[in-house]
């Protein structure tokens, strides 16, 4: 196969194109190394990907391969201390609800009060420490037009404050939106090093024809109004991410004006706001945004739609899908970089126009793929999928955007092969049966444009078992699945003799003893290998072991690995 792995004339079903397709042939030409081996081409790809993700390094990649590798490894290792500290601070989350408290908003105030406890619990289960505040605004001239509750970790105190607010006031359609936002920007004690979320819920715009063309008591704006430039400038200085829960089209002009001053995210939720889902998504997206600032990969504001689309109105698109398959039998502590087999097929897909979630590097979209019934090949049906796009597609790597998607898919294939070996080992022991696996991830090239997306099966529920620093689910003490997942992370370090560690375990708990995971991170002592921002190298491994206490699954795999030393030596 010349050039891209996607240059396939016709495919009726998935075919195995062998290890020769592990790298596009262009890698060898672009590596600058005469007679480049696959391994050298692979190293060149990862080095160029790292350079593309860190423009501040000012590394051109025009030097020879060995010099470039040394430079990239040094720069990545040098930044690890700062990155780990900042990622930990990102887990401390300050969430302020800024709400219109006039008469039309009564049911939404009740919803905030009713759902805040569940929101706090859900965020705790994914490793976040929550402090919550509130700013209510009415209109100019109303009693108690601005009401502020400073940040607190006491959910009951927050509920009592909101319950005491009377949803009344207002005259014309616009409200003192700018006054409420200015109070949030200047009266709340934000922590710039932490994750800061301002979740604004309202059904009316500010005063002034800039925001509203209907009846307005202050068509030129109110004399006390702050400009959006001043408001968002203050929020930006405090590292506060702004999110808007849209209830009506009356606020559309406001959103357009605000977007001239900041990259904001809108939850288009219709008439009744799904507060729980929207706030959870906004908070996790803001944590991701904070991490991206640390890792140098900040994306622009997005509009989210949490609803599954009406698929009949979504365009069908032809696609070629490629995935890696790593044979677990080829992996050993001496060689965990063995080439993988690539499989390719053609298919038909549909992808929602707006994302429903965002991760550290990619946005997630509802999707479907047309699949044949294995018992009746002539019959087809739509399978639920998730499509993932990188937040930024710029790349200086030799193989461009395509290679970035292939590289991410390869990490998940590696984790899948390691998981198979771990399950096989543990099945030989006396412990209760628990298993974990990773979804098959494919890279799709869409035929109607030069566009790539990652695709994998949709998971009906989602749970995080660990992150890529030092957090593990608080259920670890009593939950066999969490214990097994943590033991798997420990085992990957032992099985590869300290070369790599699979972390950030998240996905679907199929039942009490089965996990189907996706999007792992891999720490690797080679800072060019798995060179995405989530690879924290030996420092990331140290962070895991600093808080890890071996459980009975850890003891079990160590006793089963007869003759292999499992005493950990701290990296220097």
């Amino acid at each position: 196969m010349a050039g891209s792995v996607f240059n396939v004339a016709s495919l009726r079903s998935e075919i195995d194109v062998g290890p020769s397709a592990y790298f596009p042939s262009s890698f060898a030409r672009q590596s600058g190394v005469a007679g480049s081996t696959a391994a050298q081409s692979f190293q060149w790809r990862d080095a160029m990907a790292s350079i593309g993700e860190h423009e501040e390094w000012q590394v051109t990649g025009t030097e020879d391969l060995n010099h470039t590798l040394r430079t990239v490894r040094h720069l990545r290792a040098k930044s690890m201390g700062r990155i780990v500290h900042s990622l930990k601070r990102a887990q401390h989350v300050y969430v302020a609800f800024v709400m219109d408290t006039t008469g039309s908003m009564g049911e939404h105030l009740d919803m905030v009060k009713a759902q805040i406890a569940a929101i706090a619990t859900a965020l705790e289960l994914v490793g976040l420490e929550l402090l919550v505040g509130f700013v209510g605004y009415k209109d100019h001239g109303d009693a108690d037009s601005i009401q502020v509750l400073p940040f607190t970790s006491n959910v009951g105190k927050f509920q009592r404050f909101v319950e005491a607010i009377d949803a009344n006031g207002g005259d014309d359609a616009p409200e003192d939106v700018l006054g409420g936002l200015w109070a949030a920007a200047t009266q709340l004690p934000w922590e710039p090093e932490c994750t800061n979320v301002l979740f604004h819920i309202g059904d009316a715009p500010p005063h002034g024809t800039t925001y509203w063309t209907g009846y307005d008591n202050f068509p030129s704006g109110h004399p006390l109004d702050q400009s959006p430039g001043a408001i968002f400038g203050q929020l930006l200085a405090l590292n506060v991410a702004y999110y808007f829960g849209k209830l009506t089209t009356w606020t559309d002009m406001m959103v357009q004006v605000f977007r001239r001053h900041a990259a904001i995210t809108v939850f288009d939720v219709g008439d009744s706001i799904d507060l729980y889902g929207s706030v959870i998504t906004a908070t996790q997206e803001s944590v991701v945004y904070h991490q991206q600032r640390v890792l140098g990969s900040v994306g622009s504001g997005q509009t989210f739609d949490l609803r599954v689309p009406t698929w009949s109105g979504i365009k069908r698109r032809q696609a070629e899908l490629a995935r890696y398959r790593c044979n677990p039998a080829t992996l050993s502590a001496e060689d965990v970089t063995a080439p993988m087999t690539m499989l390719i097929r053609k298919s038909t897909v549909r992808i929602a126009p707006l994302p429903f979630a965002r991760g550290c590097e990619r946005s997630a979209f509802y999707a479907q793929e047309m699949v044949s019934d294995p018992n009746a090949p002539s019959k087809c049906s739509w399978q639920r999928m998730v499509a993932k796009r990188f937040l930024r597609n710029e790349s200086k790597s030799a193989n461009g955007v395509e290679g970035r998607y292939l590289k991410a898919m390869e990490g998940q294939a590696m984790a899948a092969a390691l998981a198979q070996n771990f399950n096989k080992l543990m099945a030989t022991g006396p412990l209760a049966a628990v298993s974990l696996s990773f979804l098959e991830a494919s890279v799709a090239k869409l035929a109607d444009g030069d566009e790539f997306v990652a695709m994998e099966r949709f998971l009906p529920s989602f749970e995080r078992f660990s992150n890529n620093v030092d957090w593990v689910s608080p259920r670890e003490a009593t939950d066999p699945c969490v214990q097994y997942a943590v033991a798997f992370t420990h085992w990957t370090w032992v099985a590869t003799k300290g070369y790599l560690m699979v972390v950030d375990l998240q996905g679907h708990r199929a039942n009490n003893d089965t996990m189907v995971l996706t999007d792992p991170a891999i720490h690797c002592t080679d800072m060019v290998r798995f060179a995405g921002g989530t690879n924290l190298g030996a420092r990331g491994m140290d962070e895991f072991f600093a808080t890890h206490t071996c459980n009975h699954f850890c003891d079990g795999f160590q006793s089963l690995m007869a003759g292999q030393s499992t005493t950990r030596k701290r990296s220097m």
Side-chain angles (χ1 to χ4, degrees), residues 126-434:
V126 294
L128 303 179
E129 297 183 19
L130 176 67
L131 285 88
V132 62
F134 189 91
V135 175
Y137 63 87
K138 299 182 186 295
D139 203 359
H140 298 284
D142 290 336
D144 297 322
S145 61
I146 301 291
Q147 296 170 286
V148 178
L149 172 69
F151 291 114
T152 177
S153 59
N154 188 327
V155 171
K157 181 178 180 180
F158 178 92
Q159 290 173 316
R160 290 190 294 274
F161 183 88
V162 175
E163 186 173 13
I165 294 174
D166 288 327
N168 57 35
D171 180 12
D172 51 357
E175 311 293 359
D176 186 18
V177 177
L178 301 179
L181 293 176
W182 184 245
T186 59
Q187 296 184 37
L188 291 176
W190 301 99
E191 288 287 344
E193 281 196 344
C194 297
T195 296
N196 297 308
V197 179
L198 190 161
F199 199 90
H200 178 197
I201 305 172
D203 61 0
H207 287 284
T209 54
T210 302
Y211 309 99
W212 172 249
T213 57
Y215 176 73
D216 188 345
N217 288 333
F218 303 98
S220 299
H222 192 276
L224 297 180
D225 284 346
Q226 294 289 331
S227 70
I231 292 170
F232 285 101
Q234 179 72 6
L235 293 175
L236 180 63
L238 294 168
N239 292 326
V240 179
Y242 172 90
Y243 300 84
F244 182 63
K246 176 182 173 181
L247 299 175
T248 71
T249 58
W250 285 12
T251 56
D252 286 352
M253 288 178 63
M254 177 191 78
V255 169
Q256 292 176 11
V257 173
F258 285 1
R259 279 186 164 154
R260 297 173 194 164
H261 302 275
I264 68 173
T265 298
V266 175
F267 288 88
D268 190 357
V269 291
D271 293 332
S272 59
I273 187 167
D274 175 10
L275 185 70
Y276 176 86
S278 299
V279 173
I280 294 297
T281 301
T283 303
Q284 292 178 331
E285 194 263 358
S286 191
V287 171
V288 166
Y289 181 87
H290 190 111
Q291 293 170 337
Q292 290 167 347
R293 291 179 60 250
V294 174
L295 302 172
S297 59
V298 175
S300 60
Q302 292 181 293
T303 296
F304 286 85
D305 192 343
L306 306 183
R307 299 166 296 185
V308 177
T310 301
W311 289 112
S312 59
I314 303 297
K315 178 183 177 181
R316 299 186 181 193
R317 307 176 73 176
Q318 300 303 307
E320 293 173 349
L321 289 88
R323 68 180 178 91
Y324 288 137
R325 181 173 61 192
C326 180
N327 183 354
T330 66
L331 296 179
S332 68
E334 288 71 30
D335 184 11
V336 292
T337 60
M340 303 182 188
T341 294
M342 178 166 282
L343 299 98
I344 302 179
R345 70 181 187 278
K346 282 193 172 184
S347 190
T348 301
V349 301
R350 298 192 289 207
I351 302 173
L354 295 175
F356 67 87
R358 187 167 100 169
C360 188
E361 296 182 305
R362 298 181 291 182
S363 294
F365 299 74
Y366 291 117
Q368 290 185 328
E369 181 184 359
M370 185 175 287
V371 296
S372 299
D373 185 337
N375 299 318
S378 61
K379 295 182 179 180
C380 295
S381 61
W382 289 101
Q383 182 179 46
R384 295 186 72 182
M385 304 288 286
V386 173
K388 299 179 180 180
R389 290 190 175 101
F390 279 106
L391 299 172
R392 295 199 316 175
N393 277 337
E394 307 91 51
S395 177
K396 297 178 183 178
S397 62
N399 54 318
V401 176
E402 172 192 356
R404 193 177 181 199
Y405 279 94
L406 292 173
K407 181 169 164 292
M409 179 179 66
E410 177 230 349
Q412 189 151 324
M414 174 70 72
L418 289 166
Q420 290 182 56
N421 283 345
F422 182 63
N423 292 334
K424 183 178 179 180
L425 172 69
M426 297 303 287
T428 64
L431 299 177
V434 180

